[in-house]
Amino acid sequence: MRRAVIIFTAVLGFLLTSLGLGATSALADGESLQGTLVNGSQPVAGVVIKVSDESGGPIGQVTSGADGKWSVPVKSAGTYKVDLDTTTLPQGVTLTNNRPSLTLTVFEGAARNVLFPLGAAAGTGEKKPQVAGTSTFDRVSGLVYTGIHLGLIIALAALGLSLIFGTMGLTNFAHGELVTFGALGCFLLNVTIGLPLVVSAILAVVLGGAVGWFQDKIFWGWLRNRRTGLIGMMIISIGVALVFRYLYLYLFSGDTRQYAEYVAQPGIDLGPIAVAPKNLVMDVVAIVVLILVSLALTMTRLGKATRAVSTNPSLAAASGISVDAIIRLVWTIGGALAALSGVMLGLFQGVNYQMGFQILLLVFAAVTLGGLGTAFGALVGSLVIGLATQLSTLWIPTELKNVGALVVLIVIILFRPQGILGRRERIG
């Protein structure tokens, strides 16, 4: 319980710090909605796009250019309605999904891509504008899916953070920069070098694991051998996070960018919601990876050794287990999982130098909520946090949605300090 209270206090301190630095961290170059109108392989120009807020207040109107591109800046992260004026479509061109009105969520610092699939009209008759509404059930269903999808992305990062805490007892505030490293590495390989996105993602995950290994080999292992205290190492991790974050800013700039592939895809209708195929693929990959890592921790010799080091490092060392080797392995796995989380997050909302920092609070909340140092707890906590974050937008503004996750965290910690799947510890 004492350990949980310490970590919970650290998370709240991090929140207050991030709020205090809000003026300087708002370097996101502006949220926006954007897209490209294409019929076959030809751009469609002169089509009017209107953007309004949830209450129907007008935000902006734009006409697609000669290259089919359009973009409307919005005032902040939130949920917006995008309407395509079907009467401005060229003769013989129509919306293939009959959905000229979309309700979409724009994340902080992100440029949200909007897809209106166009095709040849079925006949020569007069086009009739289609009006689409969004019912409460449809919106709740969409938020539930988005919450689960976001929860799986958070779970990948949370699992690595939980493993590092379990073996070292370290609250690593630089873990978010490993998430950013994965996204930026994949962007460099995919956009700058020109490799396919799938190949770039795999290489970025491998590089993320290598960065985790080198971090412990060169830095954290050295501090551990010097018997640096956990509080001192936690403070050092904050400095490491700042160094990496502003190094990313210097090298990458503050723009939000997109991968070269799978940026906008037509949705697949799954009951009341439409889901992009890339999101379904990411969900499957995340679930498979989480299951494999969890099974490896419970069924393999390395997994048993990891759990032994987590339970009692001194006894594990006396039993012949190389504690340093196990911790280094955990750092490698944690770095790879964080990089995979970053790749998926970049595909979900765009690549930005502070994306890991923005999601780190939710990762900490998921680890603490699920139970410190427990793999399955990290997964359960992440799903709860993802759902709480998204569903809270039914009652509060979208830019305040993280408050919903923090409220859930505080309530659980008050009644169950060890977390949902954590074990109660005896003190004294």
Side-chain angles (χ1 to χ4, degrees):
M1 178 176 178
R2 181 170 56 187
R3 181 179 290 182
V5 172
I6 293 173
I7 301 304
F8 182 57
T9 304
V11 171
L12 289 181
F14 173 78
L15 173 62
L16 294 175
T17 302
S18 63
L19 290 176
L21 296 176
T24 58
S25 65
L27 292 173
D29 292 323
E31 295 81 5
S32 65
L33 290 152
Q34 62 184 27
T36 303
L37 299 179
V38 178
N39 178 26
S41 59
Q42 299 299 317
V44 179
V47 180
V48 175
I49 306 290
K50 301 177 182 179
V51 178
S52 57
D53 57 25
E54 288 185 285
S55 62
I59 298 296
Q61 176 176 314
V62 70
T63 302
S64 60
D67 56 358
K69 296 183 181 295
W70 62 270
S71 179
V72 177
V74 295
K75 55 186 178 181
S76 64
T79 301
Y80 297 91
K81 185 179 179 184
V82 185
D83 294 295
L84 183 146
D85 187 351
T86 56
T87 61
T88 62
L89 288 172
Q91 185 67 32
V93 178
T94 185
L95 272 172
T96 58
N97 63 354
N98 290 328
R99 288 184 177 178
S101 180
L102 301 175
T103 301
L104 302 168
T105 299
V106 178
F107 296 96
E108 182 180 355
R112 180 67 186 266
N113 287 281
V114 184
L115 178 66
F116 288 109
L118 303 180
T124 58
E126 181 181 357
K127 298 191 298 293
K128 296 180 180 181
Q130 301 288 334
V131 179
T134 303
S135 68
T136 301
F137 177 75
D138 290 345
R139 186 183 176 194
V140 171
S141 301
L143 290 174
V144 168
Y145 172 75
T146 304
I148 294 175
H149 181 69
L150 179 63
L152 290 173
I153 295 175
I154 294 173
L156 291 169
L159 179 55
L161 182 64
S162 182
L163 289 175
I164 292 172
F165 176 85
T167 52
M168 284 185 61
L170 171 64
T171 307
N172 181 23
F173 282 89
H175 197 73
E177 311 319 311
L178 291 175
V179 174
T180 307
F181 176 84
L184 295 183
C186 184
F187 179 88
L188 174 66
L189 294 168
N190 176 235
V191 177
T192 305
I193 297 179
L195 295 177
L197 182 59
V198 175
V199 176
S200 300
I202 294 174
L203 292 177
V205 171
V206 173
L207 290 174
V211 169
W213 187 90
F214 276 109
Q215 272 197 37
D216 187 69
K217 174 70 175 178
I218 299 173
F219 188 66
W220 298 111
W222 178 72
L223 292 175
R224 194 165 56 247
N225 292 333
R226 288 175 56 88
R227 301 186 182 279
T228 304
L230 291 177
I231 298 298
M233 294 178 74
M234 182 185 71
I235 295 173
I236 291 172
S237 74
I238 297 175
V240 172
L242 291 173
V243 169
F244 274 101
R245 189 177 312 143
Y246 289 104
L247 179 62
Y248 296 152
L249 174 61
Y250 177 76
L251 297 175
F252 187 74
S253 80
D255 298 331
T256 297
R257 308 183 191 181
Q258 305 290 339
Y259 296 129
E261 303 169 57
Y262 310 114
V263 175
Q265 291 182 318
I268 299 175
D269 289 328
L270 299 177
I273 62 175
V275 182
K278 64 179 181 181
N279 291 343
L280 295 177
V281 173
M282 286 192 287
D283 293 338
V284 172
V285 171
I287 291 172
V288 170
V289 170
L290 290 168
I291 291 176
L292 289 178
V293 173
S294 299
L295 291 177
L297 289 173
T298 57
M299 301 181 63
T300 65
R301 293 184 61 185
L302 285 175
K304 293 177 181 178
T306 301
R307 288 186 286 122
V309 171
S310 176
T311 303
N312 193 323
S314 299
L315 183 58
S319 302
I321 298 175
S322 175
V323 175
D324 279 343
I326 292 299
I327 293 178
R328 197 148 298 146
L329 173 65
V330 166
W331 271 95
T332 303
I333 296 174
L337 290 174
L340 179 58
S341 176
V343 170
M344 292 185 177
L345 188 63
L347 195 57
F348 183 50
Q349 65 180 48
V351 181
N352 186 277
Y353 82 98
Q354 59 178 357
M355 55 190 296
F357 167 71
Q358 292 169 345
I359 201 177
L360 184 60
L361 179 62
L362 299 181
V363 174
F364 272 124
V367 172
T368 309
L369 180 62
L372 298 167
T374 61
F376 290 105
L379 173 58
V380 173
S382 298
L383 292 176
V384 172
I385 291 298
L387 288 170
T389 299
Q390 297 302 316
L391 290 175
S392 64
T393 60
L394 292 171
W395 304 281
I396 63 177
T398 304
E399 56 266 24
L400 299 178
K401 63 182 179 180
N402 287 357
V403 173
L406 291 175
V407 169
V408 173
L409 172 64
I410 292 171
V411 171
I412 294 295
I413 291 298
L414 285 175
F415 294 98
R416 189 176 174 83
Q418 69 271 31
I420 298 175
L421 298 183
R423 294 178 298 178
R424 187 181 298 273
E425 295 184 1
R426 178 179 177 182
I427 300 177

PDB file of all heavy atoms in Angstrom, residues 289-309:
ATOM      1  N   VAL A 289       0.089  -9.397 -29.314  1.00  0.00           N
ATOM      2  CA  VAL A 289       1.335  -9.075 -28.623  1.00  0.00           C
ATOM      3  C   VAL A 289       1.149  -9.123 -27.115  1.00  0.00           C
ATOM      4  O   VAL A 289       1.978  -9.685 -26.379  1.00  0.00           O
ATOM      5  CB  VAL A 289       1.855  -7.687 -29.065  1.00  0.00           C
ATOM      6  CG1 VAL A 289       3.006  -7.231 -28.171  1.00  0.00           C
ATOM      7  CG2 VAL A 289       2.308  -7.729 -30.517  1.00  0.00           C
ATOM      8  N   LEU A 290       0.063  -8.547 -26.622  1.00  0.00           N
ATOM      9  CA  LEU A 290      -0.190  -8.537 -25.181  1.00  0.00           C
ATOM     10  C   LEU A 290      -0.367  -9.956 -24.642  1.00  0.00           C
ATOM     11  O   LEU A 290       0.149 -10.292 -23.560  1.00  0.00           O
ATOM     12  CB  LEU A 290      -1.432  -7.698 -24.875  1.00  0.00           C
ATOM     13  CG  LEU A 290      -1.290  -6.190 -25.086  1.00  0.00           C
ATOM     14  CD1 LEU A 290      -2.652  -5.505 -25.029  1.00  0.00           C
ATOM     15  CD2 LEU A 290      -0.351  -5.594 -24.040  1.00  0.00           C
ATOM     16  N   ILE A 291      -1.064 -10.805 -25.378  1.00  0.00           N
ATOM     17  CA  ILE A 291      -1.256 -12.198 -24.943  1.00  0.00           C
ATOM     18  C   ILE A 291       0.069 -12.952 -24.944  1.00  0.00           C
ATOM     19  O   ILE A 291       0.391 -13.681 -23.987  1.00  0.00           O
ATOM     20  CB  ILE A 291      -2.295 -12.899 -25.841  1.00  0.00           C
ATOM     21  CG1 ILE A 291      -3.689 -12.321 -25.606  1.00  0.00           C
ATOM     22  CG2 ILE A 291      -2.301 -14.409 -25.582  1.00  0.00           C
ATOM     23  CD1 ILE A 291      -4.751 -12.894 -26.527  1.00  0.00           C
ATOM     24  N   LEU A 292       0.862 -12.771 -26.006  1.00  0.00           N
ATOM     25  CA  LEU A 292       2.139 -13.487 -26.092  1.00  0.00           C
ATOM     26  C   LEU A 292       3.086 -13.075 -24.962  1.00  0.00           C
ATOM     27  O   LEU A 292       3.729 -13.928 -24.340  1.00  0.00           O
ATOM     28  CB  LEU A 292       2.793 -13.221 -27.453  1.00  0.00           C
ATOM     29  CG  LEU A 292       2.129 -13.874 -28.665  1.00  0.00           C
ATOM     30  CD1 LEU A 292       2.855 -13.485 -29.947  1.00  0.00           C
ATOM     31  CD2 LEU A 292       2.095 -15.395 -28.520  1.00  0.00           C
ATOM     32  N   VAL A 293       3.183 -11.771 -24.702  1.00  0.00           N
ATOM     33  CA  VAL A 293       4.067 -11.311 -23.627  1.00  0.00           C
ATOM     34  C   VAL A 293       3.579 -11.820 -22.282  1.00  0.00           C
ATOM     35  O   VAL A 293       4.376 -12.277 -21.441  1.00  0.00           O
ATOM     36  CB  VAL A 293       4.160  -9.777 -23.628  1.00  0.00           C
ATOM     37  CG1 VAL A 293       4.943  -9.282 -22.420  1.00  0.00           C
ATOM     38  CG2 VAL A 293       4.825  -9.287 -24.906  1.00  0.00           C
ATOM     39  N   SER A 294       2.272 -11.785 -22.052  1.00  0.00           N
ATOM     40  CA  SER A 294       1.718 -12.252 -20.780  1.00  0.00           C
ATOM     41  C   SER A 294       1.949 -13.746 -20.596  1.00  0.00           C
ATOM     42  O   SER A 294       2.310 -14.199 -19.504  1.00  0.00           O
ATOM     43  CB  SER A 294       0.218 -11.934 -20.711  1.00  0.00           C
ATOM     44  OG  SER A 294      -0.012 -10.540 -20.802  1.00  0.00           O
ATOM     45  N   LEU A 295       1.750 -14.524 -21.660  1.00  0.00           N
ATOM     46  CA  LEU A 295       1.997 -15.965 -21.565  1.00  0.00           C
ATOM     47  C   LEU A 295       3.473 -16.263 -21.349  1.00  0.00           C
ATOM     48  O   LEU A 295       3.832 -17.188 -20.604  1.00  0.00           O
ATOM     49  CB  LEU A 295       1.496 -16.661 -22.834  1.00  0.00           C
ATOM     50  CG  LEU A 295      -0.023 -16.708 -23.032  1.00  0.00           C
ATOM     51  CD1 LEU A 295      -0.365 -17.368 -24.362  1.00  0.00           C
ATOM     52  CD2 LEU A 295      -0.698 -17.456 -21.881  1.00  0.00           C
ATOM     53  N   ALA A 296       4.341 -15.461 -22.014  1.00  0.00           N
ATOM     54  CA  ALA A 296       5.778 -15.665 -21.826  1.00  0.00           C
ATOM     55  C   ALA A 296       6.182 -15.412 -20.378  1.00  0.00           C
ATOM     56  O   ALA A 296       7.048 -16.099 -19.831  1.00  0.00           O
ATOM     57  CB  ALA A 296       6.561 -14.746 -22.766  1.00  0.00           C
ATOM     58  N   LEU A 297       5.532 -14.444 -19.733  1.00  0.00           N
ATOM     59  CA  LEU A 297       5.861 -14.146 -18.338  1.00  0.00           C
ATOM     60  C   LEU A 297       5.402 -15.242 -17.383  1.00  0.00           C
ATOM     61  O   LEU A 297       5.963 -15.412 -16.299  1.00  0.00           O
ATOM     62  CB  LEU A 297       5.223 -12.816 -17.928  1.00  0.00           C
ATOM     63  CG  LEU A 297       5.830 -11.557 -18.543  1.00  0.00           C
ATOM     64  CD1 LEU A 297       4.992 -10.340 -18.181  1.00  0.00           C
ATOM     65  CD2 LEU A 297       7.266 -11.364 -18.064  1.00  0.00           C
ATOM     66  N   THR A 298       4.379 -15.985 -17.771  1.00  0.00           N
ATOM     67  CA  THR A 298       3.827 -16.995 -16.866  1.00  0.00           C
ATOM     68  C   THR A 298       4.269 -18.422 -17.186  1.00  0.00           C
ATOM     69  O   THR A 298       4.214 -19.289 -16.310  1.00  0.00           O
ATOM     70  CB  THR A 298       2.284 -16.942 -16.905  1.00  0.00           C
ATOM     71  OG1 THR A 298       1.832 -17.122 -18.257  1.00  0.00           O
ATOM     72  CG2 THR A 298       1.781 -15.606 -16.390  1.00  0.00           C
ATOM     73  N   MET A 299       4.731 -18.687 -18.419  1.00  0.00           N
ATOM     74  CA  MET A 299       4.963 -20.074 -18.832  1.00  0.00           C
ATOM     75  C   MET A 299       6.404 -20.390 -19.217  1.00  0.00           C
ATOM     76  O   MET A 299       6.741 -21.556 -19.393  1.00  0.00           O
ATOM     77  CB  MET A 299       4.026 -20.421 -20.010  1.00  0.00           C
ATOM     78  CG  MET A 299       2.550 -20.267 -19.681  1.00  0.00           C
ATOM     79  SD  MET A 299       1.460 -20.698 -21.076  1.00  0.00           S
ATOM     80  CE  MET A 299       1.840 -22.440 -21.290  1.00  0.00           C
ATOM     81  N   THR A 300       7.266 -19.392 -19.389  1.00  0.00           N
ATOM     82  CA  THR A 300       8.648 -19.668 -19.796  1.00  0.00           C
ATOM     83  C   THR A 300       9.595 -19.501 -18.617  1.00  0.00           C
ATOM     84  O   THR A 300       9.265 -18.864 -17.607  1.00  0.00           O
ATOM     85  CB  THR A 300       9.080 -18.719 -20.932  1.00  0.00           C
ATOM     86  OG1 THR A 300       9.103 -17.374 -20.446  1.00  0.00           O
ATOM     87  CG2 THR A 300       8.112 -18.806 -22.107  1.00  0.00           C
ATOM     88  N   ARG A 301      10.807 -20.058 -18.766  1.00  0.00           N
ATOM     89  CA  ARG A 301      11.802 -19.932 -17.698  1.00  0.00           C
ATOM     90  C   ARG A 301      12.227 -18.482 -17.496  1.00  0.00           C
ATOM     91  O   ARG A 301      12.419 -18.026 -16.369  1.00  0.00           O
ATOM     92  CB  ARG A 301      13.029 -20.792 -18.040  1.00  0.00           C
ATOM     93  CG  ARG A 301      12.755 -22.291 -18.034  1.00  0.00           C
ATOM     94  CD  ARG A 301      14.034 -23.062 -18.277  1.00  0.00           C
ATOM     95  NE  ARG A 301      15.035 -22.809 -17.236  1.00  0.00           N
ATOM     96  CZ  ARG A 301      16.272 -23.281 -17.271  1.00  0.00           C
ATOM     97  NH1 ARG A 301      16.670 -24.021 -18.310  1.00  0.00           N
ATOM     98  NH2 ARG A 301      17.120 -23.021 -16.297  1.00  0.00           N
ATOM     99  N   LEU A 302      12.371 -17.744 -18.604  1.00  0.00           N
ATOM    100  CA  LEU A 302      12.722 -16.329 -18.484  1.00  0.00           C
ATOM    101  C   LEU A 302      11.617 -15.556 -17.774  1.00  0.00           C
ATOM    102  O   LEU A 302      11.881 -14.644 -16.976  1.00  0.00           O
ATOM    103  CB  LEU A 302      12.976 -15.731 -19.868  1.00  0.00           C
ATOM    104  CG  LEU A 302      14.302 -16.106 -20.537  1.00  0.00           C
ATOM    105  CD1 LEU A 302      14.369 -15.536 -21.945  1.00  0.00           C
ATOM    106  CD2 LEU A 302      15.479 -15.625 -19.712  1.00  0.00           C
ATOM    107  N   GLY A 303      10.372 -15.919 -18.074  1.00  0.00           N
ATOM    108  CA  GLY A 303       9.262 -15.271 -17.403  1.00  0.00           C
ATOM    109  C   GLY A 303       9.255 -15.554 -15.908  1.00  0.00           C
ATOM    110  O   GLY A 303       9.011 -14.646 -15.094  1.00  0.00           O
ATOM    111  N   LYS A 304       9.530 -16.791 -15.551  1.00  0.00           N
ATOM    112  CA  LYS A 304       9.585 -17.135 -14.131  1.00  0.00           C
ATOM    113  C   LYS A 304      10.746 -16.420 -13.445  1.00  0.00           C
ATOM    114  O   LYS A 304      10.626 -15.973 -12.299  1.00  0.00           O
ATOM    115  CB  LYS A 304       9.713 -18.644 -13.977  1.00  0.00           C
ATOM    116  CG  LYS A 304       8.473 -19.414 -14.448  1.00  0.00           C
ATOM    117  CD  LYS A 304       8.673 -20.923 -14.350  1.00  0.00           C
ATOM    118  CE  LYS A 304       7.433 -21.673 -14.852  1.00  0.00           C
ATOM    119  NZ  LYS A 304       7.629 -23.140 -14.809  1.00  0.00           N
ATOM    120  N   ALA A 305      11.862 -16.304 -14.156  1.00  0.00           N
ATOM    121  CA  ALA A 305      13.004 -15.587 -13.589  1.00  0.00           C
ATOM    122  C   ALA A 305      12.665 -14.111 -13.401  1.00  0.00           C
ATOM    123  O   ALA A 305      13.046 -13.492 -12.400  1.00  0.00           O
ATOM    124  CB  ALA A 305      14.223 -15.739 -14.496  1.00  0.00           C
ATOM    125  N   THR A 306      11.936 -13.546 -14.356  1.00  0.00           N
ATOM    126  CA  THR A 306      11.526 -12.150 -14.244  1.00  0.00           C
ATOM    127  C   THR A 306      10.618 -11.948 -13.039  1.00  0.00           C
ATOM    128  O   THR A 306      10.767 -10.979 -12.279  1.00  0.00           O
ATOM    129  CB  THR A 306      10.796 -11.708 -15.525  1.00  0.00           C
ATOM    130  OG1 THR A 306      11.664 -11.879 -16.648  1.00  0.00           O
ATOM    131  CG2 THR A 306      10.366 -10.246 -15.437  1.00  0.00           C
ATOM    132  N   ARG A 307       9.680 -12.852 -12.850  1.00  0.00           N
ATOM    133  CA  ARG A 307       8.787 -12.741 -11.699  1.00  0.00           C
ATOM    134  C   ARG A 307       9.540 -12.940 -10.393  1.00  0.00           C
ATOM    135  O   ARG A 307       9.220 -12.325  -9.374  1.00  0.00           O
ATOM    136  CB  ARG A 307       7.644 -13.740 -11.831  1.00  0.00           C
ATOM    137  CG  ARG A 307       6.645 -13.337 -12.909  1.00  0.00           C
ATOM    138  CD  ARG A 307       5.423 -14.223 -12.975  1.00  0.00           C
ATOM    139  NE  ARG A 307       5.746 -15.515 -13.565  1.00  0.00           N
ATOM    140  CZ  ARG A 307       5.559 -16.681 -12.956  1.00  0.00           C
ATOM    141  NH1 ARG A 307       5.099 -16.715 -11.722  1.00  0.00           N
ATOM    142  NH2 ARG A 307       5.853 -17.809 -13.567  1.00  0.00           N
ATOM    143  N   ALA A 308      10.571 -13.790 -10.421  1.00  0.00           N
ATOM    144  CA  ALA A 308      11.372 -13.991  -9.217  1.00  0.00           C
ATOM    145  C   ALA A 308      12.145 -12.726  -8.856  1.00  0.00           C
ATOM    146  O   ALA A 308      12.208 -12.328  -7.682  1.00  0.00           O
ATOM    147  CB  ALA A 308      12.340 -15.157  -9.432  1.00  0.00           C
ATOM    148  N   VAL A 309      12.719 -12.065  -9.859  1.00  0.00           N
ATOM    149  CA  VAL A 309      13.438 -10.810  -9.612  1.00  0.00           C
ATOM    150  C   VAL A 309      12.472  -9.741  -9.122  1.00  0.00           C
ATOM    151  O   VAL A 309      12.807  -8.948  -8.230  1.00  0.00           O
ATOM    152  CB  VAL A 309      14.148 -10.344 -10.904  1.00  0.00           C
ATOM    153  CG1 VAL A 309      14.719  -8.944 -10.735  1.00  0.00           C
ATOM    154  CG2 VAL A 309      15.252 -11.320 -11.283  1.00  0.00           C
TER     155      VAL A 309
END
